[in-house]
Structures are given as C-alpha cells and as structure tokens.
Amino acid sequence: MILNTGQRTDIPAFYSEWFCNRLREKHVLVRNPYNVSQLIRYRISPDVVDAICFCTKNPAPMLAHMELLAPFGQLWFVTITPYGKSIEPNVPDKTEIIESFKALSKIVGAARIVWRYDPIIIFGKYTVAQHMQSFEKMCRALSGFTKTCVISFIDLYPKVCRNFPDVQEVAANDRRALGKSCAEIGASYGIQIKACAEGNDLAQFGIDCTGCMTKAVYEAVLGCSLNIPEKNYARKECNCYLSADIGAYNTCAHFCRYCYANYDRQTVLNNMQRHNPRSPLLIGNVQHGDIIQDAVQVSFKNGQAMLHL
C-alpha cells in the first residue's frame, strides 16, 4: 500500500515530531473527516507499506530523522514557488527551502524528490514574464538535485475564493505561454516538466500530462511492478493514486492564501492547540464513543523487478 502524508496538511513542516513517534510506534490513527467518530488504524510497517509519499513546503524538520524512513520506499514532493509573504505568510525563505531540498536529494536521490512549482497564479507583480524569470532561476539552483518538476495553475475551490477573493483563473493563452516556457527551460537544465490535472493541452510542448503520483511513478521509484487496485479518482483530470492519507484538514500553518485544505486561520490555530505529539491522532486524542477500524493493508509489490533508479 501507499501511505500519503500531504493532501490535507504539511506533516514534515509542522508535525515531524508526531510523525517520528508514529514511525517508532508503527501505527497511526486517522479520523474520518466526514464521520468524526470513525477512526482508521494503519500499521506503519515495511511489510505492508511499500512507499510513503510526502508533500511539503519545508522538509527541513525531517532531515535529522531520515534513518527512521530508511526501511520504506519514499517519494517526496517539495513545493517551491516565487510568492512572498502576502500570498504565503509562513513559508520559509525560498533560499532555505532550496538548501533543504538539496540536502534531502542527497539522502533519497534525485529521482525520488520532485519539485512542485504550483499553483501558478497571475496576480499583481507575478506576471507571466516574472514567472518565467523565477522558474529559470529555480531550475538553475535545483539542476542535478531532481529529475522532475510538476506545474499546475490555480483552481478556484470555494475555500480558495473565500480566502483569496481577488485571485482569478489563469487565462488559456497565459497557460500555453507558461507551459511552453517551462518545458524549454526545464529541458535546458535536465528537468522533465509534468502537468498536474491540466488535461492534455500542454502535451504539445513536450510536457508529461499523465499524472504526478501514478502507478508508473511509484513503480519507477520502488524499482518493481505493483498490483495497485482500481479506484475512483476525485477529479476526472487527475490520474494520481491518492489513498491512505494520514493528515487532517485545517491544520496547516503556512496559511497560503490559495490553500484548499484550510477553512480559515482561527480554525487552524484552534486545531493546532489540540495537537499532542504523543497521540496516535494528528489532532486530539481518542474519545469515548470513537470506533476504531483496522485498515485492510497489503503490499502492492508483485515480485517482478524493474530497472532501479
């Protein structure tokens, strides 16, 4: 199975101590966001967890604990964008993130760490020309430390519209111009560009539009074939395999204005006050009346080796 840590919050940035405790105790509880009295228990063991997938804007807090992850396959997605504090209030300085990215790459390998340049927003000083300039600068800094960059354009979810009411969709001509430019710049630095849930419009520029967390991606990372079960995808544009997320919504303190996972700032702060690093749950503790159900977990590996990265 694949354990996911990053679709609901940023665990490496804010909850690394908790996550390390979960690795040591070999299990985690996850509260169902749509049925709060239902808890799912996952074993965190290499015999059933084939890979752990991370999505973070700051991997630095995990760098001192990488030995705990050594038994597991890993796939890291690290977001580095050009935005300042007016859009990403609590994201560390980008030069610091780039250095952490490089340090992580040296541990896990360039093929297992992906740079995310997303979401792309055209807003204020962040023009098409500015994005091209920033993207080239970041490509130059990350060349040799990753093989892949994922791009996407902002999606106007209800939470995004509420927290960032003056943001707009990126126009189709700007999407094409940026896609073409990113593909050309990436190629010059040895970085393959992938598009996340953007259809096939950018494929004409040599951009891989097949998905960023697909079965094929995990197989390449793990060096073996996987029997991943069929599933229904949350969005028709998305081909990624997203399952067993151990995070929780309304818990990310980066407070990015484009975030789809936070309702508002105060809700996040209230939840973070309830965080206990020793609890099996990310937020709070097991309550009277909670029903714990053990997840059905099996390894997806079928024993057929593939070329290792």
Side-chain angles (χ1 to χ4, degrees), residues 4-179:
N4 199 301
T5 75
Q7 299 304 307
R8 299 172 181 172
T9 193
D10 191 332
I11 286 175
F14 298 109
Y15 305 103
S16 58
E17 180 184 359
W18 173 83
F19 183 67
C20 288
N21 287 335
R22 295 300 90 226
L23 290 172
R24 294 186 186 99
E25 297 182 21
K26 302 185 186 331
H27 75 279
V28 62
L29 291 180
V30 181
R31 193 175 293 280
N32 186 334
Y34 307 106
N35 183 359
V36 295
S37 64
Q38 182 185 65
L39 308 182
I40 301 175
R41 177 163 45 213
Y42 294 104
R43 283 199 300 129
I44 309 179
S45 172
D47 65 322
V48 291
V49 176
D50 301 310
I52 302 176
C53 183
F54 298 90
C55 295
T56 181
K57 287 184 169 70
N58 181 18
M62 280 300 299
L63 292 178
H65 309 288
M66 294 302 292
E67 75 283 353
L68 292 171
L69 287 169
F72 301 92
Q74 299 172 55
L75 179 58
W76 288 79
F77 290 82
V78 179
T79 299
I80 312 176
T81 60
Y83 310 121
K85 298 297 183 182
S86 64
I87 294 179
E88 296 178 341
N90 283 356
V91 175
D93 184 87
K94 304 309 164 69
T95 58
E96 295 178 17
I97 304 173
I98 287 172
E99 291 308 307
S100 297
F101 188 109
K102 292 178 179 180
L104 180 58
S105 176
K106 291 176 181 178
I107 297 171
V108 302
R112 295 176 178 85
I113 180 169
V114 176
W115 165 35
R116 295 192 70 102
Y117 187 90
D118 75 302
I120 296 174
I121 303 167
I122 305 299
F123 180 77
K125 67 179 182 179
Y126 302 107
T127 62
V128 171
Q130 181 60 43
H131 272 293
M132 292 178 181
Q133 180 179 343
S134 298
F135 188 79
E136 193 279 334
K137 182 179 179 181
M138 292 181 185
C139 273
R140 191 183 330 129
L142 297 174
S143 180
F145 293 95
T146 186
K147 295 183 178 182
T148 308
C149 175
V150 174
I151 65 170
S152 72
F153 302 96
I154 190 165
D155 291 308
L156 301 186
Y157 297 111
K159 291 178 184 177
V160 175
C161 293
R162 182 175 58 251
N163 295 323
F164 201 170
D166 39 358
V167 74
Q168 297 181 350
E169 288 188 347
V170 179
N173 61 320
D174 288 338
R175 291 177 184 236
R176 288 190 292 270
L178 282 163

